[in-house]
Each structure stands twice: as C-alpha cells, then as structure tokens.
Amino acid sequence: MKDSCPLLLTLSAVLLLSGASAYSGSVEESGASTDTQHKQGWHKDQDSGERALYMRQFEKADDYLERALHQAKNSPSKPHRLAMSRLALGESYLRQGRFQEAYETLELSRGGVRSAYGSRSSEFARCLTALGACLVEFGKEEKAMDHARKAIEILTGMDKKDSQLYGYAVETLGMASARHGWHDEALPRLEEALEIFKRYPGFKRLDLAAVLEEQAVYFYKHGDREKSASLSEESALIKENAMVTTQPTSIASRVEFQWKPGSTRAREIIDSEFPFRYLTAGGVRVAATVVDLWELLAVLITITNVSDRQSEYELGKAVLRVVDADHPAGKPTVLSSVDPNSIDRIRKERNMWDLTQNRPWLANIQKTRGVRGLVPHEGHDLFRGPNVFGVYGQWKAVSHTVPERLSIHPSREGLFGSTEDDTALTGMLRANHSSFKDCFNVTLEPFESRTGEIFYLNPRDQDVIISVPVGNAVFELPFHTRKQKIP
C-alpha cells in the first residue's frame, strides 16, 4: 500500500505511516461496504427464489436463484452462499421434472453443503433427499435408497420426524423400494409419507397433490386400480382448486395435469393412426392428436370450455418436446415450430383433411362452426358448441348464434331452467389482446372451442409430449410419432 502512495518522497515517515493507515482503512471500509452489498443482494435473491419455489412459481424461482448463484460465485469467502443457491436451484429443477439438470446441480452443491453446515445437518439431509429422488428417476434405486436412509437417519437424530422434509425422505425411500420390487417394504413407507404430507401439504396443498399423483401411478402399475383412482382424483381436485385460468405460470403457481395411465382425468378416442387424447380439469378440456404429413408433423390442439358459464382463458405457447425413450429422465429436446407462412398451409390442411375425414371426431374440429351443434342427448361433447379452426393462437372473430333449443331433451349444459341472465351467452367469438408475454386471451361460452394447428419437422419414431398452458395449468399429452409415412 505504501508503494502506491503518491506522497512517498515528500512526506515524513510519520505522515507516510498515518497516510498509509488512512488509505488502508478506506480500502477496508470500501471492501466491507461491497461485501455488505453482495450479502444484501444475495439474501434478497435467495429468499425471493426460495419463496417462489415454495409457491411453485418455477420461472420466477429460477430467475432469482440464478442471480443469487451468480452473486455467490463473486463472493469466494462465503462458500455457504454458493452451496445454498445450488441446492435450491437443484430442487427447483427437480420439481419441474428436469432431472438431469437437477442431479448435476445438486451434486455440485453436496460437498459445499456438507462443508458449510456439516454432515448431520438438515441442509445436508435436504440435499441427499433431492439427489435420491433424481436417482429413482434414473433407475438407480439402491443408491437412491442409501441417500434416503441417510437423510432419514439425520432428521431422526435431529428430532425432525414431524416435518415435510422428513416426508420427502420417506416418500423417496418408499418409491425407490417400490421400483426395486420390494413392495412389502414400500407400502408402509408410502403410507407414512402420505400422512406427513396431509399435515404439511405445502402451498395451496400442491405438494400433497404431487405425492398423491406419484402414488396413484404406482398403485395403478401394481394392480390396485381402485386405490389408484381414489388418489388420482383427490390430487386432481386439489389442483383444480389451485387453477387460475386468467394468470400464466409466470405469476401464479404452476399446476400440471399429465395424461398418464391411472389418471382419472385422462381420456382417449382410440385409433391406430390418430389417437385423440384429452384431459378435463377446472371447466376446461384440452384435446390433441398428431398427424403425419410426411416431412412435417401437424399437431391439432382443441381447447373447450366445458363449464356452464362464459369463461376467460389466458393461453400460453404450446410446446412439443421429444423424450428419449431409453433415458426418459434426461433433458428433453424442445422442437421449434415451422412458420405456417413459410409453407403451403392450405395444402397441408387439405392433406390433413384427406387423412382424417373418416374420423368424425377429427373432422368435426377441423371446421369453423358458427352455430351450436344440434346433437342427441347422449351425443359426445366433442360435437357440441361453436368452434374456430386455424393456426394456434391466430384465430379470427366469427359471429355466431345460439339456438333457442339445443335438442328435445333437457340441456346437458345447464342453460335452461337457470335463473341467471343468458344474454351474456350470445355475441362474437373474440380474441382479446393479452397483457402477458407469449400469451393470448380468449373468452369462450359453454362448450365453445378453439382448434389450432402447429407444424413441426417430423421427428419420426419418437416419444413426444405436447404441453398446452391454460392459465397457470399446463396440460401434457404424450404421443409416439410414426416410424413410416402413412401410405
């Protein structure tokens, strides 16, 4: 520091020393001030990220935690910050189903957590539990059981058996045992975990809903269909209560409805070439299928208001991702859609029509209908109500009317005999401007629907998942693309 003082040759030794001391003090004060700013910034981002994670606002959580991680890397003297940011970010990836990213991030945090907090701390148990959950998805059940048992041992020694973290550790051990084939050992663990989550259900009970769904899938595969259906429906009802159709996942808790065996909300019109799958929750039905157009893959998505009143929906960007069948827990590949203006879209629509016109459920949604369908009382809901067909998210307004009577039978939609004013049920199919990024707003009357088409380069012979955001709910429907072109 003395060498850097410009008065070295002109001041006396006393002045020099006092000047050096003052300079050193100013550096220390500046360093302390910078460290305080880093500490305050890190704490704000870390706390905000963990709060968003608790509320299952994953996009917001990732943003905050990545900022906290960046600040922690710039504070090498505070290694515990780096460990905690990585731990929380890994947990966020885990809850989003991004298992490979979660595992890599958690592995990086494990050593730091152990050094900063000790191998008998709740933080280390938290890290082991999350790592175990990733390993279950990777098919490494024995290693997952080791991690879960260590976490349970740590939490038991700390007298934290009555906590949600302990419930996660027990659930992880139970699922690892179940997948390993040790069902007698798994059942009491799963029951114990479920009891804990009923006491600590998480924000809007969504953590409980996730555990219920996970166990429903297990019991379905294990042959107990009745218990599977009970758990699945209980989970779906919790999620429905948390649905907000006018707010996207960027500001509301993310709620997922996945089409999978054992789900009480999963339905399908079976077809060898064009299976039509749909999920119904919270008064909205999302249906989809894929059509092989040789070099292109067309995705048809129908969104229908199946409630008995006019409703508003904030629709997000639909996404198609490819899942590696050999490594389903790996990072999926998100495909970019083909610009419909860059292809002969009308010709492709006619190709789709030629392939699907003998499937009435598909032919029906590829039409714009201005008048409600007059169908028998026992008719399928897919044939009722106005519909607008076009490029997904680019639907135009179409005028329509509502007949005085839908059929000779009492209305299945509950429109007759109601004391409510029905004048709101007439008007225009309209697309409102959305104030949210990458979203568009639609207002649908009872059994009114919108059908959109999206084109992709054809990923042949692949497992794909279509994700359709409706408000804060994300509907996921799986398909398998054809290996060969339809003759």
Side-chain angles (χ1 to χ4, degrees), residues 141-389:
E141 295 89 1
E142 292 185 2
K143 196 172 181 179
M145 285 188 279
D146 288 340
H147 284 339
R149 288 194 184 103
K150 288 179 183 177
I152 291 171
E153 181 186 348
I154 293 170
L155 295 171
T156 302
M158 298 178 68
D159 197 23
K160 289 189 176 182
K161 292 183 69 173
D162 190 29
S163 66
Q164 194 192 68
L165 177 56
Y166 185 83
Y168 271 121
V170 174
E171 173 74 7
T172 301
L173 180 57
M175 293 307 301
S177 301
R179 295 200 182 187
H180 198 59
W182 296 349
H183 303 291
D184 292 339
E185 182 179 328
L187 288 175
R189 293 293 187 179
L190 296 177
E191 291 175 359
E192 182 184 3
L194 194 55
E195 289 301 318
I196 294 174
F197 274 94
K198 286 181 178 179
R199 294 196 298 273
Y200 302 97
F203 185 71
K204 292 187 176 181
R205 307 182 73 215
L206 289 173
D207 293 342
L208 171 61
V211 171
L212 286 166
E213 184 178 28
E214 185 176 51
Q215 294 195 13
V217 173
Y218 162 70
F219 284 110
Y220 181 86
K221 292 180 178 178
H222 195 52
D224 193 343
R225 303 300 168 83
E226 184 176 350
K227 186 168 186 177
S228 173
S230 174
L231 295 174
S232 177
E233 186 60 20
E234 187 178 353
S235 174
L237 290 174
I238 293 173
K239 293 177 186 177
E240 282 186 323
N241 289 332
M243 282 182 64
V244 184
T245 61
T246 56
Q247 295 180 355
T249 56
S250 58
I251 62 172
S253 303
R254 181 184 175 98
V255 180
E256 292 185 350
F257 292 92
Q258 298 175 336
W259 196 102
K260 60 177 61 174
S263 172
T264 55
R265 303 306 177 93
R267 295 288 185 270
E268 178 180 16
I269 297 180
I270 297 174
D271 188 280
S272 60
E273 294 180 343
F274 310 107
F276 194 56
R277 293 174 173 170
Y278 53 98
L279 289 162
T280 305
V284 62
R285 179 177 62 221
V286 177
T289 192
V290 294
V291 182
D292 188 331
L293 298 178
W294 192 23
E295 78 283 8
L296 295 179
L297 183 74
V299 176
L300 289 176
I301 300 172
T302 297
I303 298 169
T304 308
N305 174 12
V306 294
S307 70
D308 60 355
R309 64 188 63 190
Q310 187 184 75
S311 299
E312 184 180 351
Y313 302 97
E314 199 72 35
L315 304 183
K317 181 181 178 182
V319 174
L320 181 74
R321 63 182 191 272
V322 178
V323 180
D324 189 341
D326 296 327
H327 303 281
K331 186 176 181 180
T333 302
V334 178
L335 299 183
S336 299
S337 60
V338 175
D339 183 357
N341 297 318
S342 66
I343 60 175
D344 189 345
R345 181 173 62 83
I346 303 302
R347 181 181 178 184
K348 295 303 178 184
E349 288 179 356
R350 295 198 62 174
N351 290 342
M352 277 194 293
W353 178 261
D354 291 339
L355 291 170
T356 61
Q357 62 177 322
N358 59 343
R359 275 82 167 175
W361 55 92
L362 294 181
N364 188 57
I365 65 174
Q366 294 178 75
K367 300 176 183 177
T368 294
R369 305 187 304 272
V371 180
R372 289 178 175 274
L374 302 177
V375 300
H377 176 61
E378 65 276 6
H380 198 288
D381 290 338
L382 289 168
F383 297 89
R384 301 170 74 87
N387 178 62
V388 177
F389 174 73

Side-chain angles (χ1 to χ4, degrees), residues 452-478:
E453 58 187 3
I454 311 176
F455 299 98
Y456 299 89
L457 292 178
N458 199 339
R460 292 204 170 276
D461 196 23
Q462 295 287 336
D463 289 321
V464 298
I465 296 177
I466 302 169
S467 298
V468 184
V470 180
N472 69 329
V474 179
F475 295 80
E476 296 190 337
L477 302 106

Side-chain angles (χ1 to χ4, degrees), residues 86-95 99 102-103 105-107 109 123-138 144 147-148 151 165 168-169 172:
R86 280 176 172 160
L87 174 57
L89 187 60
E91 289 177 324
S92 179
Y93 292 155
L94 174 62
R95 294 194 182 190
F99 300 111
Y103 183 77
T105 306
L106 291 165
E107 269 293 332
S109 75
E123 288 81 6
F124 190 59
R126 180 177 158 188
C127 184
L128 289 175
T129 301
L131 280 168
C134 292
L135 290 167
V136 171
E137 298 297 329
F138 296 155
H147 284 339
L165 177 56
Y168 271 121
T172 301

Side-chain angles (χ1 to χ4, degrees), residues 20-31:
S21 300
Y23 180 74
S24 176
S26 67
V27 170
E28 289 176 359
E29 289 176 3
S30 175

